[in-house]
Amino acid sequence: MNRTADQETGTLNRRAALASVGVATLLLGLKGYAALVSGSVAMLASLADTGLDLVASVVTLYGVHVAAQRADEHHRFGHGKAESLAALFQVALIAASAVAIAARAVMALLHATPTASPEAGIVASIVAAAATLALLAYQRAVIARTRSVAIGADHLHYKSDLALNGAVVLALALDRYAGLTGVDALFGLLIALWLGWGAWTSATHAIDQLMDREWPEEKRRAFLDLAATIPAMAGMHDLRTRTSGAHDFAQFHMSFPAETTIGVAHMVMEDIETRLTAAFPGLEVLIHPDPVGHVDQEGALPKAIAERSEI
């Protein structure tokens, strides 16, 4: 990808992130008013989720900005892990909010009282769903052009918000029109549990990146399947992979006949890198050439890992 394409991608991703921040800010004010008027626990939980959406969108904006920065002399592998650090901060906020909402929901269940003005919450949730749908459509268009991992994650988060807004509408409607007083608090508790699960999932993903965990088996297998179609990679071994922010890294050893010149080996490796990066956008490949029959002694992978790395 050339510099002009990089700049265009960065611009599109920043616009999508700014749109996300704008929608989250609008919904935060709308739901804040509805929660204040209705006194609904489910609406309060939805408000907390929107507040977290705003934080997530700001983090995404920051992550996209950092991801667009080129590697420098102090960060030779780029700045991708800044996204994971920001995600852990985000997780702490989500977990704290989930605990507070759950406590409020339990108190409301013990002292059940009708919701003051459920209509305000219903209208706010419907408007929120409409705004979220518009944002999702725009994000899909950007992702199709940039394949941004950060925007893609934000897109998935807002897709789940559609279900959340629907749950709030259902809870308030049952409270108002079916007379089920405790259902609002019950839905608030369920939303708190859902937020807690989201925090756990996000934390796991962020820690995996910080610890340089290997790619998921499906992705790793896809890489090996592609490698198997390239004749020159028949001598590939010791594959290692990791992900940092929106960037993937793969390094491995390749066997060459002893008489192969450095120039020829370089040309072969460049061709391989071109094919791999075309299939895996955002991938950085590092290839170490070995003479046929060479076996690494120091720093070699354990036998079980080496066997899994072979094609």
Side-chain angles (χ1 to χ4, degrees):
M1 187 178 289
N2 58 41
R3 188 171 181 83
T4 300
D6 281 339
Q7 291 175 340
E8 181 183 358
T9 295
T11 298
L12 287 172
N13 286 338
R14 279 191 290 271
R15 287 177 180 174
L18 284 170
S20 181
V21 171
V23 169
T25 301
L26 172 66
L27 298 185
L28 188 67
L30 181 65
K31 290 184 179 181
Y33 172 77
L36 181 65
V37 172
S38 67
S40 164
V41 177
M43 193 71 242
L44 180 64
S46 182
L47 171 64
D49 182 69
T50 298
L52 295 172
D53 284 347
L54 179 57
V55 174
S57 297
V58 171
V59 169
T60 298
L61 179 61
Y62 169 74
V64 167
H65 172 73
V66 172
Q69 306 302 309
R70 294 181 176 273
D72 55 41
E73 61 178 313
H74 299 296
H75 305 89
R76 301 300 295 272
F77 290 97
H79 304 78
K81 288 189 177 181
E83 292 187 35
S84 298
L85 293 173
L88 288 179
F89 172 74
Q90 187 179 336
V91 164
L93 293 179
I94 294 173
S97 297
V99 171
I101 292 167
R104 174 68 181 271
V106 170
M107 292 298 296
L109 284 171
L110 294 176
H111 307 284
T113 55
T115 304
S117 179
E119 290 83 1
I122 292 173
V123 171
S125 296
I126 292 174
V127 172
T132 301
L133 281 171
L135 175 63
L136 288 173
Y138 179 59
Q139 287 179 329
R140 276 196 300 272
V142 171
I143 293 169
R145 295 184 62 181
T146 68
R147 299 181 181 180
S148 168
V149 176
I151 301 300
D154 205 39
H155 181 76
L156 288 175
H157 189 75
Y158 276 98
K159 282 177 69 175
S160 66
D161 281 358
L162 289 177
L164 176 60
N165 287 316
V168 173
V169 170
L170 179 60
L172 293 175
L174 290 173
D175 182 277
R176 174 67 176 86
Y177 302 109
L180 301 177
T181 304
V183 73
D184 173 63
L186 179 61
F187 271 60
L189 182 59
L190 292 175
I191 293 171
L193 293 174
W194 176 75
L195 287 173
W197 173 254
W200 171 260
T201 302
S202 297
T204 300
H205 181 68
I207 291 172
D208 281 348
Q209 287 205 11
L210 290 172
M211 294 298 293
D212 289 334
R213 184 182 177 90
E214 285 285 322
W215 291 349
E217 186 59 32
E218 181 180 351
K219 184 175 181 178
R220 185 182 171 87
R221 176 50 52 189
F223 184 90
L224 290 172
D225 287 344
L226 174 61
T229 66
I230 305 175
M233 294 185 67
M236 172 188 175
H237 56 283
D238 289 354
L239 171 65
R240 304 181 188 185
T241 60
R242 68 185 180 93
T243 298
S244 179
H247 300 282
D248 289 323
F249 296 87
Q251 64 182 69
F252 52 86
H253 292 217
M254 279 186 59
S255 296
F256 287 90
E259 63 274 13
T260 306
T261 65
I262 294 177
V264 171
H266 180 73
M267 290 177 60
V268 171
M269 291 188 293
E270 273 200 334
D271 178 65
I272 288 172
E273 289 179 12
T274 300
R275 296 193 189 193
L276 293 175
T277 53
F280 292 83
L283 173 66
E284 183 173 317
V285 181
L286 177 63
I287 305 174
H288 179 79
D290 285 335
V292 171
H294 174 78
V295 177
D296 292 324
Q297 297 299 325
E298 296 184 4
L301 291 176
K303 182 179 180 181
I305 298 177
E307 288 175 351
R308 289 200 302 271
S309 299
E310 294 178 357
I311 300 176

